[in-house]
Amino acid sequence: MKYRRLGSTKVSAIGLGAMPLSIEHRPDEDRAVATVHAALDAGITLIDTADSYYWHAGERGHNELLVARALSRYGGDTSHVLVATKGGRGRSGDGGWTVNGAPAHLKAAAEASLARLGGEVIGLYQLHKPDPDVPWAESVGALRELFEAGTIRFAGISNVTTDQIHEAHAILGDALVSVQNQYSPAVRDAEPTLELSTRLGLAFLPWSPLGGISRSALDGPSGSTSAGTPFHRIAAERGVSVQRVALAWLLSRSPAVIPIPGSGRPASIQDSAGATEIELKPAELAELSSAGARPRG
């Protein structure tokens, strides 16, 4: 496994997106725990979760509790594993998602997440999504208060614009270490935020990094899985999975990129971890980078 910087620490260049272990069509707990353990066995030291990763009403924190149980049951040392969680979103119980960026809510949510995850501090706490009804500076200010109180070690922001990154950086300073936006072979409109993150020294965590290669866990039933792309052709030539090629391409975009592919099976995260072993040739990178991307929405 190769490593990349996240704030003042380093984490595996591929993380585990734990969301599929708790939302719709989630696996049973034994397979979910086995998936986390397979990630750890593969050298992954970054696990991404959120208090809103659950399926049914009344299950807030399901994924955080699952990750905590999986780590406690692992036979090896997990002290070097950084668990990144998020606050500011919820679920209505009917498949919908809600947003709440009120400072009081974020501070209470962080304390609840810390209790579920255990330990003395949350490794990385991310504001899940800007709330259109709450001034951005107020939501980010809550992260600053959590950092100063010692509740969180690092702060991150998600689903943001370049202007919001600038404003958050001004408020949080060195406490801000990451940006998590949607970015994949198919959805590339986050390029400006990736470039800005790189310039500011922030880790960039693409969510749904396999978009256009395999269906995202957030895609609806109408979502499709592409085939016959340059990613598929190069994967076939190399004798590896197309997912591994897609993640290797993402890693090549910037040293700030740390993909967090969602996985619901041990084999899938083990395969994803192998992306760090692939060195794409300049001609391959040029072809993959010029491959058509669909606009988001």
Side-chain angles (χ1 to χ4, degrees), residues 2 5 16 34 43 99 104 106 114 118 167 170 198 205 218-219 223 254 257 267 280:
K2 296 178 181 178
R5 301 300 303 180
L16 168 65
V99 181
L106 292 172
L114 178 58
E167 188 172 0
T198 302
L205 315 180
L218 283 180
D219 287 341
S254 164
V257 171
L280 293 168

Side-chain angles (χ1 to χ4, degrees), residues 158-170:
S158 182
N159 298 299
V160 289
T161 65
T162 54
D163 286 345
Q164 289 166 334
I165 294 173
H166 278 300
E167 188 172 0
H169 192 252

Side-chain angles (χ1 to χ4, degrees), residues 39-296:
L40 300 174
D41 289 343
I44 287 175
T45 63
L46 173 64
I47 300 176
D48 181 80
T49 179
D51 64 354
S52 58
Y53 290 167
Y54 57 94
W55 187 351
H56 307 291
E59 289 189 325
R60 180 175 291 275
H62 183 281
N63 198 242
E64 294 173 323
L65 291 168
L66 175 63
V67 168
R69 287 195 297 272
L71 290 173
S72 70
R73 297 174 190 173
Y74 187 63
D77 179 24
T78 60
S79 61
H80 58 297
V81 176
L82 190 148
V83 176
T85 192
K86 295 181 284 294
R89 298 205 75 179
R91 302 209 66 186
S92 56
D94 60 359
W97 295 76
T98 60
V99 181
N100 187 346
H105 170 78
L106 292 172
K107 288 184 280 188
E111 293 289 352
S113 290
L114 178 58
R116 286 187 288 263
L117 292 170
E120 299 179 354
V121 63
I122 295 175
L124 170 60
Y125 193 70
Q126 304 161 98
L127 180 52
H128 206 152
K129 186 176 183 179
D131 185 340
D133 295 325
V134 178
W136 178 238
E138 292 184 12
S139 296
V140 176
L143 296 188
R144 182 76 202 183
E145 291 183 37
L146 288 166
F147 174 75
E148 292 174 344
T151 306
I152 66 176
R153 180 183 179 191
F154 297 126
I157 51 179
S158 182
N159 298 299
V160 289
T161 65
T162 54
D163 286 345
Q164 289 166 334
I165 294 173
H166 278 300
E167 188 172 0
H169 192 252
I171 294 169
L172 290 165
D174 291 341
L176 179 65
V177 301
S178 67
V179 171
Q180 185 175 148
N181 278 356
Q182 185 177 13
Y183 186 60
S184 69
V187 180
R188 304 188 194 179
D189 51 0
E191 288 275 3
T193 58
L194 168 57
E195 293 170 2
L196 177 58
S197 298
T198 302
R199 291 200 304 271
L200 294 177
L202 305 176
F204 187 87
L205 315 180
W207 64 262
S208 192
L210 300 176
I213 299 301
S214 62
R215 188 176 301 170
S216 164
L218 283 180
D219 287 341
S222 61
S224 61
T225 299
S226 300
T229 69
F231 289 88
H232 291 80
R233 183 185 61 74
I234 290 171
E237 290 176 352
R238 284 176 166 265
V240 298
S241 70
V242 65
Q243 289 85 353
R244 194 177 292 193
V245 171
L247 293 171
W249 173 77
L250 285 167
L251 290 170
S252 76
R253 302 300 288 167
S254 164
V257 171
I258 305 172
I260 46 172
S263 299
R265 297 181 299 112
S268 62
I269 191 57
Q270 288 175 325
D271 180 66
S272 292
T276 62
E277 302 169 3
I278 295 179
E279 294 290 340
L280 293 168
K281 300 174 183 177
E284 293 174 321
L285 288 171
E287 182 178 4
L288 295 175
S289 297
S290 64
R294 62 173 174 80
R296 181 167 52 179

